[in-house]
Amino acid sequence: MGFLQSVRFKIIAGFALILAPMVAFLIYNNLYATGIVRQQVSLHYDNSMEVQVSANDAILKATTDYLIQLGTNSDNDILLLKTLPIDSPDYTLAKLRMYNRFVMDTGYYNMVDTFFIYSKREQESFFATQLSQKSPELYQALADYSRKFASGNPGTQDERWDLIAIPGDYNYLIKTVDLGLDLYAGALVRTDTLNKVLSKLDVGEDGTAYIMDASGRVVTSGAVPDSQDESFRRTVLAMKEPYKTVRYKGKPLLVLTHPSEFSDLHYVIATSEMYILSNLPVFQKMLYLWIPLIVAGVLTGYLVFLQRFMFRPLVRLIRGMRKLGQGQFDVRLPVQAGGSEFSFMSSTFNQMAEQIESLKIDVYEERIRVQRAEYQHLQVQINPHFYMNSLNIIYNLAALKDFKSVQKLSLHLADYFRFLMHGNRTAVRLEEEIRHIGHYLEIQKLRYVDRLEYEIKVDPRHHGCEISPLLLQPFVENSIIHGFNKRVQDGTPFRIEVASEEDPEHPERYVRLFVRDNGPGLPPEMLESLNGGAYLDGSGEQHLGIWNILRRFRMLYGEDGGVYFGNGEPGGAVVEVKLPVNRAEALQEPAAAIESENEKEEIPFAYHARGGR
């Protein structure tokens, strides 16, 4: 009996000696795998945050440089705003050109919400914003901040952005630059825009990504879990490491934070460790099920298991990390089926590599867009030659004492400018757009006299159709700039036709608008780019006006309708706009014109085959 007990004890002790290191090894491997997952997820979030914060800071730096360059590049309009009396017509025209310039620049600096200029002499500001509605709160906030900035020490320029909150609106970063002579330029960037990419990261239900200021106040919209209250955020502000595990109210949270270089903002990502480790139950179940069933043969099988399912994936992971560190962002690890922790690590590594590669590409493209916008500032401004030529015509007519023509041209110019000054509308009646085109062509006809003819054949039933402002006029202007100037002069006048007709396939849904000329037409390679979508994608740098029209059309109508380009017979360019309309409002009989306060001074005129009143 004692011998049997001794043998049993030795057998149990032997198994215990075998099982103890194996169990310890299994526990160690489980903890090691958990640590690897925590580390890789932390690195993934940290790399994503660092790339995004760097990209945001680069945009803030580029915007600051742009504002400073407004005062250092001897910009003609800025000089006019500095020197001319505020009641001067040229002062008003300079403001209009700067407004249109800012409207275009917000398309390039797409993270910038608003550009503005504040005149201390005028004690008010004007601005261009990407929002369709300009709230009084935004106007008041810009005016208050500008007056406060102007009363301080504006001559000291730095690269820091301030944080302001607009009641009933959002939190913004604001930057104001002293242009000299009591003129200031500035920009607004919404904090939600800065957090747009990070807010899409998968951090679980208890996790969140937000931005807070130096006092711990959250300055982005979106829900923040109750566990991340003000006390927790102050703890985050005191962190010295880029990421660490913070145990708050009994819950372990993985917290990452990164400050902005050009503002007092702190980017924060917080996620529950339970969510990070949620895909590790397989290894833990294996740990508890194997303990009572371990035998001597399991040791050999376990060694094979270690070699195949642990060391080999770890070697792949290390090699992949080394390649990723060397800049090979296309490296991917094979993901094995089964849902093990190493499959989770491999998939997490692949997601990290894909997001880093995507962020690197986005940063590169954004830098190219900013450089392209800075290089093409003069191209996106309203062409001043049209205004200069018009003024020269008025001068020459006055010198010849042709006062009727001076009156005629002045009225056309006044109506032309009146339409542009109301350019903040999202839609106008087709009748207004056609009237604006008529003013433009009459001005050009006074310039070219017998070398230009035009005809407007728009069905009166289509006058009620709503259209985006300046959707057709740039095509007419392109016809004169390119078609007229490049046309072989054979003695016949250059002819432009603007017409409308019913859509033959869907007359209840669309109205077709045409702009035709008898110029040399569009080159084949340009037609291919226009109709192939290259200009809408942003590759038509030399024709920003066309890109702007196509972009506005897509924003208003999506895939409904379209703009098409071609050449007519026997020649000449043809632009067709397939305009979606509301038939209940569009195809109405022409009613009496509704006179606004600005339109009461207009002298109506009819459009004939050769233009004129």
Side-chain angles (χ1 to χ4, degrees):
M1 189 72 176
F3 175 76
L4 292 176
Q5 290 179 350
S6 177
V7 172
R8 185 180 300 166
F9 175 77
K10 291 180 179 179
I11 294 174
I12 293 174
F15 274 109
L17 290 175
I18 295 175
L19 289 175
M22 295 185 66
V23 171
F25 190 63
L26 287 173
I27 294 175
Y28 170 78
N29 282 325
N30 184 56
L31 295 176
Y32 179 74
T34 301
I36 289 291
V37 171
R38 183 185 295 110
Q39 182 181 14
Q40 292 304 312
V41 172
S42 300
L43 287 174
H44 161 61
Y45 287 150
D46 186 61
N47 289 335
S48 300
M49 177 181 286
E50 183 177 359
V51 171
Q52 184 59 33
V53 173
S54 299
N56 290 346
D57 285 345
I59 294 299
L60 296 179
K61 178 64 166 60
T63 304
T64 301
D65 294 340
Y66 166 75
L67 294 175
I68 294 175
Q69 288 174 3
L70 287 177
T72 59
N73 287 346
S74 299
D75 187 279
N76 185 53
D77 291 327
I78 295 296
L79 292 176
L80 292 177
L81 293 177
K82 289 180 180 179
T83 58
L84 291 178
I86 61 177
D87 57 351
S88 171
D90 290 334
Y91 182 86
T92 303
L93 292 178
K95 288 176 61 175
L96 176 62
R97 289 192 293 269
M98 287 303 303
Y99 171 81
N100 289 327
R101 175 175 177 176
F102 283 163
V103 169
M104 297 296 295
D105 285 347
T106 54
Y108 288 98
Y109 295 85
N110 54 5
M111 289 186 64
V112 177
D113 182 82
T114 301
F115 282 110
F116 67 93
I117 285 183
Y118 173 76
S119 174
K120 190 174 182 180
R121 296 184 301 158
E122 201 172 354
Q123 287 293 312
E124 68 175 13
S125 59
F126 65 93
F127 58 90
T129 178
Q130 296 192 45
L131 299 176
S132 58
Q133 297 181 352
K134 303 175 183 177
S135 64
E137 292 80 6
L138 175 60
Y139 178 86
Q140 186 63 39
L142 290 178
D144 293 342
Y145 182 86
S146 300
R147 281 193 290 269
K148 181 179 178 182
F149 180 86
S151 63
N153 188 17
T156 303
Q157 305 285 11
D158 59 20
E159 297 179 342
R160 302 294 293 178
W161 288 62
D162 296 332
L163 180 67
I164 63 172
I166 299 178
D169 203 335
Y170 298 91
N171 291 285
Y172 293 86
L173 285 179
I174 185 169
K175 179 63 182 176
T176 305
V177 173
D178 185 4
L179 302 180
L181 297 179
D182 295 334
L183 194 66
Y184 306 89
L188 285 178
V189 176
R190 187 183 299 177
T191 54
D192 282 355
T193 304
L194 300 175
N195 196 44
K196 185 177 181 180
V197 174
L198 295 181
S199 63
K200 296 180 181 179
L201 291 176
D202 184 11
V203 293
E205 295 181 357
D206 295 331
T208 185
Y210 54 88
I211 300 176
M212 61 182 179
D213 59 14
S215 64
R217 182 176 64 91
V218 177
V219 296
T220 51
S221 59
V224 176
D226 295 335
S227 60
Q228 301 180 34
D229 56 12
E230 183 178 356
S231 177
F232 171 84
R233 295 195 293 272
R234 285 199 297 267
T235 303
V236 174
L237 287 174
M239 286 176 51
K240 302 299 182 183
E241 308 86 357
Y243 61 87
K244 73 174 184 178
T245 299
V246 177
R247 183 172 292 275
Y248 188 76
K249 294 184 179 180
K251 293 183 179 181
L253 297 174
L254 176 62
V255 181
L256 300 94
T257 181
H258 199 295
S260 173
E261 181 181 357
F262 300 110
S263 65
D264 293 331
L265 297 183
H266 293 262
Y267 295 77
V268 178
I269 296 178
T271 182
S272 171
E273 282 210 349
M274 296 298 296
Y275 178 75
I276 297 176
L277 304 176
S278 61
N279 290 335
L280 293 176
V282 175
F283 202 89
Q284 295 172 349
K285 291 180 181 178
M286 290 167 57
L287 173 65
Y288 295 111
L289 291 176
W290 283 10
I291 292 178
L293 303 176
I294 294 297
V295 291
V298 175
L299 181 59
T300 304
Y302 186 63
L303 292 175
V304 175
F305 170 79
L306 290 179
Q307 174 64 26
R308 181 175 180 181
F309 295 100
M310 292 188 63
F311 295 129
R312 188 180 300 172
L314 287 176
V315 170
R316 291 199 194 103
L317 181 61
I318 293 173
R319 290 177 179 173
M321 293 174 63
R322 184 178 293 114
K323 292 181 180 179
L324 192 62
Q326 294 173 353
Q328 301 180 24
F329 299 112
D330 58 343
V331 61
R332 299 293 184 270
L333 299 181
V335 180
Q336 299 178 354
S340 66
E341 62 278 10
F342 295 104
S343 298
F344 174 75
M345 283 193 299
S346 299
S347 61
T348 302
F349 177 87
N350 292 340
Q351 292 176 5
M352 176 185 67
E354 291 174 358
Q355 293 191 15
I356 292 177
E357 182 179 16
S358 176
L359 287 174
K360 287 287 186 181
I361 294 174
D362 291 343
V363 170
Y364 177 75
E365 291 179 347
E366 189 64 29
R367 288 177 180 173
I368 292 178
R369 185 179 293 273
V370 171
Q371 293 173 357
R372 183 182 301 158
E374 293 175 350
Y375 181 75
Q376 295 180 340
H377 278 322
L378 294 178
Q379 295 183 9
V380 300
Q381 298 182 59
I382 296 178
N383 187 355
H385 297 292
F386 171 75
Y387 307 109
M388 298 298 295
N389 290 332
S390 299
L391 293 177
N392 286 334
I393 293 173
I394 292 177
Y395 176 82
N396 292 330
L397 291 175
L400 295 174
K401 298 184 179 182
D402 188 355
F403 299 119
K404 291 185 177 180
S405 297
V406 170
Q407 292 176 346
K408 178 180 178 182
L409 181 56
S410 299
L411 287 175
H412 285 302
L413 279 174
D415 292 335
Y416 182 87
F417 284 123
R418 183 179 292 113
F419 186 87
L420 290 182
M421 294 177 68
H422 292 82
N424 59 344
R425 295 175 292 178
T426 57
V428 298
R429 288 164 55 92
L430 178 60
E431 181 181 13
E432 297 180 61
E433 177 80 3
I434 295 302
R435 185 183 297 116
H436 179 66
I437 292 173
H439 293 310
Y440 174 80
L441 289 172
E442 282 293 316
I443 295 170
Q444 294 292 358
K445 186 165 179 60
L446 286 173
R447 177 184 177 187
Y448 296 112
V449 193
D450 295 332
R451 292 189 297 163
L452 173 66
E453 293 182 357
Y454 72 89
E455 183 176 9
I456 297 179
K457 299 189 298 183
V458 176
D459 193 326
R461 295 181 303 158
H462 301 157
H463 284 176
C465 297
E466 288 193 347
I467 187 172
S468 177
L470 299 178
L471 191 66
L472 292 179
Q473 191 269 343
F475 293 128
V476 176
E477 186 172 351
N478 279 345
S479 293
I480 293 179
I481 293 175
H482 300 289
F484 182 84
N485 294 330
K486 295 180 181 179
R487 179 173 177 265
V488 177
Q489 300 298 328
D490 56 0
T492 60
F494 181 74
R495 183 178 179 84
I496 296 178
E497 177 183 323
V498 181
S500 70
E501 65 179 41
E502 299 285 339
D503 184 72
E505 298 180 357
H506 303 283
E508 74 286 351
R509 290 183 57 190
Y510 302 104
V511 169
R512 300 171 66 189
L513 306 174
F514 297 91
V515 177
R516 305 183 180 96
D517 63 50
N518 61 346
L522 298 171
E525 60 276 6
M526 185 176 179
L527 276 178
E528 183 178 355
S529 298
L530 287 169
N531 293 322
Y535 279 71
L536 183 59
D537 294 335
S539 59
E541 294 91 345
Q542 297 180 354
H543 296 273
L544 293 175
I546 296 178
W547 174 84
N548 180 274
I549 293 172
L550 298 178
R551 179 172 173 266
R552 287 191 292 127
F553 193 93
R554 176 66 61 85
M555 292 175 63
L556 285 175
Y557 306 111
E559 299 296 333
D560 196 15
V563 181
Y564 310 99
F565 302 86
N567 289 321
E569 293 293 340
V574 178
V575 179
E576 176 187 350
V577 178
K578 190 175 181 181
L579 182 68
V581 296
N582 184 347
R583 305 304 293 181
E585 300 176 0
L587 293 182
Q588 55 185 343
E589 292 299 327
I594 301 176
E595 294 183 344
S596 65
E597 293 183 1
N598 292 329
E599 293 174 341
K600 289 181 179 181
E601 300 177 359
E602 296 182 2
I603 299 178
F605 60 90
Y607 303 109
H608 301 290
R610 296 183 178 273
R613 293 184 184 272

